Amino acid sequence: MDSQKVDLYLMTNAKFFQPQHLNYIRERLLLLDESKWFMIQGIDLKDPTTILIVSIVAGSLGIDRFMIGDTGLGVAKLLTCGGLGIWALIDWFLIMDLTRQKNMEKLQQFLQ
Amino acid sequence: MSEYKTQNTHIYVTELEQASNSYLMAVVSVIAGLPLPIINVIASFFFYLAHRNASYFVRWHCIQSVLSQAVMIPFNSIAFAWTLKIMFNNSQDFLEQDTPNHYTFSGMFASEFFDSLSLYYVLYISIIILLNIVEFFAVITTAAQVRKGKNVRWFLIANITDALTSKQNRDKFRI
């Protein structure tokens, strides 16, 4: 893939990924076929800040987990009222990195 | 024997934040979990489990955070159990005796409670409260220092953490 396109993608989407993964993403995108560009553009990346706000407001209902795609854990969190508050509290500090990890997993499907 | 890559020594700013969050979360969970003395340890442990694929630096600080909380468990648990024992013994005595009408339950209970406190109990609780306050502020200081990029090592706990933390690179996307 064209390096200008790759750099443009990284500039616009850097906040969705962990900084230590950006080198890996760049290398893999450069090796990628041009035909996959539109597919990568179409990936629904979640904003970590938005998920953090959802986690603070509705964390004990597991909405944050549902949003990032952890349906099973979301149901468990909902049924246990956010793990009696402990799980909800842990997720306040965890959910942003978790969101970035999920975004990376989504992108990784196209990078392989 | 399986081979593993050693961790890249470069530490990103977000990793400093993650490591600092492990201490910060322990502080918040102490406040949320009072008076139960074990909530913060459980929270720290699950925080570590969530970060077990993170970099060596983050995992090291998560484990140090768990251990720093765990050190206080025996002391806090004894204090908690001792307090419960005194409270339940008092309420049992109160129910068994003939209560004069002019005494209220709460007044009677409070006076019985404070009369029954032994010197050892008061001393022990005072020391435990002092220890917890020291630990609380030490954790806050550590969180602040780690966020600035300083690798804070707790006496003795850091050595145990060194032994427990694997140096294997578990982040497959990091190059």
Side-chain angles (χ1 to χ4, degrees), chain B:
Chain B
M1 192 176 149
S2 61
E3 282 185 10
Y4 61 84
K5 282 192 288 184
T6 51
Q7 187 73 45
N8 190 343
T9 50
H10 185 75
I11 298 165
Y12 289 82
V13 178
T14 49
E15 289 176 326
L16 295 177
E17 284 179 11
Q18 284 176 10
S20 173
N21 277 349
S22 65
Y23 298 101
L24 207 58
M25 195 212 52
V27 169
V28 175
S29 60
V30 162
I31 298 163
L34 280 175
L36 289 175
I38 201 166
I39 300 290
N40 51 339
V41 187
I42 295 170
S44 298
F45 180 68
F46 281 105
F47 191 84
Y48 163 68
L49 284 186
H51 279 106
R52 65 189 183 282
N53 288 332
S55 67
Y56 175 75
F57 181 78
V58 176
R59 275 183 288 127
W60 192 92
H61 278 285
C62 285
I63 291 177
Q64 183 169 256
S65 170
V66 174
L67 291 178
S68 65
Q69 308 300 314
V71 162
M72 292 303 294
I73 283 187
F75 305 107
N76 284 340
S77 300
I78 290 170
F80 190 67
W82 199 345
T83 310
L84 283 184
K85 190 186 168 211
I86 290 172
M87 286 177 77
F88 280 108
N89 279 350
N90 282 347
S91 59
Q92 191 65 33
D93 294 345
F94 174 69
L95 290 172
E96 284 169 2
Q97 69 186 351
D98 295 330
T99 316
N101 288 335
H102 59 274
Y103 280 110
T104 60
F105 176 81
S106 57
M108 191 71 179
F109 180 75
S111 63
E112 286 284 323
F113 179 74
F114 287 113
D115 287 346
S116 62
L117 297 183
S118 65
L119 181 64
Y120 290 121
Y121 175 79
V122 174
L123 271 175
Y124 185 73
I125 288 293
S126 307
I127 292 166
I128 289 299
I129 290 171
L130 190 71
L131 268 177
N132 274 291
I133 290 169
V134 168
E135 196 246 6
F136 186 78
F137 283 105
V139 170
I140 292 173
T141 312
T142 309
Q145 295 296 318
V146 169
R147 186 159 291 223
K148 285 176 191 167
K150 290 176 186 167
N151 186 31
V152 180
R153 291 175 65 87
W154 284 42
F155 171 70
L156 203 63
I157 291 172
N159 297 331
I160 302 169
T161 311
D162 285 340
L164 288 176
T165 314
S166 164
K167 289 191 174 170
Q168 188 178 359
N169 181 16
R170 294 177 178 172
D171 191 349
K172 60 184 175 181
F173 301 127
R174 186 185 177 125
I175 51 174

